[in-house]
Amino acid sequence: DGGITQSPKYLFRKEGQNVTLSCEQNLNHDAMYWYRQDPGQGLRLIYYSQIVNDFQKGDIAEGYSVSREKKESFPLTVTSAQKNPTAFYLCASSPRRVDSGFITDTQYFGPGTRLTVL
Amino acid sequence: AQSVSQHNHHVILSEAASLELGCNYSYGGTVNLFWYVQYPGQHLQLLLKYFSGDPLVKGIKGFEAEFIKSKFSFNLRKPSVQWSDTAEYFCAVRAGASGTYKYIFGTGTRLKVLA
């Protein structure tokens, strides 16, 4: 059964603690992404990775860190530097298809992790 | 900077009414366009996409969208909505340049269909 898994579904942490959100995919996709979803703001890109051992900052990377040591895994750490960490976090992946020099791919999303910082 | 605008934040319709959700983007080059849907309690999933060719794209569950390049728009339509279409809908754009994997999402439109 292929897909993207995120764990846990709900996560509670005290203010000032770092927390790591898990994202695993068995779709053999090259690219993986982390988004944050807040009411009225849609999805905002935190970090993305096009290939193992490489990643780029998205629009709201401050206070977050990632690693991509394996193709299947792209964990996100929410650090104490993130000023407003309570949110719904979505992980996604996409294959790396290129057609006539242009990238053509679709993102597949995980179920999300709702992080609440108390 | 690239951006995506969804002007309708909340839409309420009765069953069988027609639906059109607006999506406008700002980018002058080649784009890939997507509509994603998030049903209550479910994953965000792809509804339809446009990469090239026929600007009228048909997706799942009777949805379609039309890419109008001159208007930088990719509006989503359905002739007759059902109660089960109640969900949040997101438009997304990716600049079609090689090496760019960055997607820009709109703020979403919450659709409620009354039975």
Side-chain angles (χ1 to χ4, degrees):
Chain A
D1 189 20
I4 303 174
T5 56
Q6 291 184 245
S7 61
K9 189 173 181 178
Y10 298 96
L11 189 56
F12 296 88
R13 279 293 181 269
K14 290 183 180 179
E15 195 172 341
Q17 289 183 331
N18 290 358
V19 60
T20 297
L21 280 59
S22 165
C23 178
E24 304 279 330
Q25 54 100 0
N26 61 5
L27 300 168
N28 200 34
H29 287 171
D30 287 297
M32 296 186 75
Y33 314 77
W34 273 105
Y35 292 92
R36 172 181 170 139
Q37 186 178 12
D38 295 284
Q41 298 196 55
L43 276 70
R44 292 183 291 168
L45 183 64
I46 303 173
Y47 268 98
Y48 64 109
S49 167
Q50 300 183 47
I51 201 163
V52 175
N53 293 322
D54 183 58
F55 48 83
Q56 288 82 39
K57 291 182 179 179
D59 298 316
I60 55 165
E62 186 176 348
Y64 299 98
S65 65
V66 293
S67 63
R68 187 85 187 276
E69 297 175 2
K70 297 186 296 182
K71 189 175 185 177
E72 314 82 64
S73 178
F74 191 42
L76 173 75
T77 297
V78 184
T79 74
S80 56
Q82 167 51 232
K83 294 175 183 174
N84 187 20
T86 294
F88 188 56
Y89 291 87
L90 282 169
C91 179
S93 70
S94 67
R96 194 179 189 188
R97 296 205 178 103
V98 180
D99 180 16
S100 301
F102 293 101
I103 295 171
T104 57
D105 64 313
T106 299
Q107 288 189 323
Y108 296 83
F109 285 84
T113 292
R114 188 166 296 280
L115 172 65
T116 302
V117 176
L118 306 170
Chain B
Q2 299 164 37
S3 66
V4 177
S5 298
Q6 291 182 246
H7 305 294
N8 312 104
H9 299 295
H10 292 90
V11 174
I12 300 175
L13 295 172
S14 298
E15 273 194 318
S18 64
L19 170 72
E20 181 160 3
L21 301 182
C23 174
N24 288 89
Y25 65 92
S26 64
Y27 181 72
T30 301
V31 291
N32 299 153
L33 299 158
F34 307 83
W35 274 98
Y36 283 87
V37 59
Q38 192 170 32
Y39 297 104
Q42 295 189 27
H43 296 204
L44 200 65
Q45 57 186 283
L46 182 70
L47 201 55
L48 48 79
K49 61 188 178 184
Y50 171 81
F51 287 157
S52 63
D54 189 344
L56 185 61
V57 180
K58 294 193 184 298
I60 60 171
K61 302 186 181 185
F63 285 90
E64 65 179 31
E66 185 175 13
F67 170 49
I68 303 179
K69 191 174 181 179
S70 60
K71 294 185 178 180
F72 299 90
S73 70
F74 191 55
N75 293 354
L76 181 71
R77 300 193 295 245
K78 186 171 184 179
S80 176
V81 294
Q82 300 172 313
W83 177 80
S84 58
D85 293 324
T86 295
E88 189 160 18
Y89 294 80
F90 294 92
C91 181
V93 172
R94 185 164 53 70
S98 180
T100 302
Y101 277 82
K102 188 175 174 181
Y103 288 68
I104 307 295
F105 280 79
T107 53
T109 297
R110 284 188 185 272
L111 171 66
K112 184 169 184 177
V113 180
L114 304 175

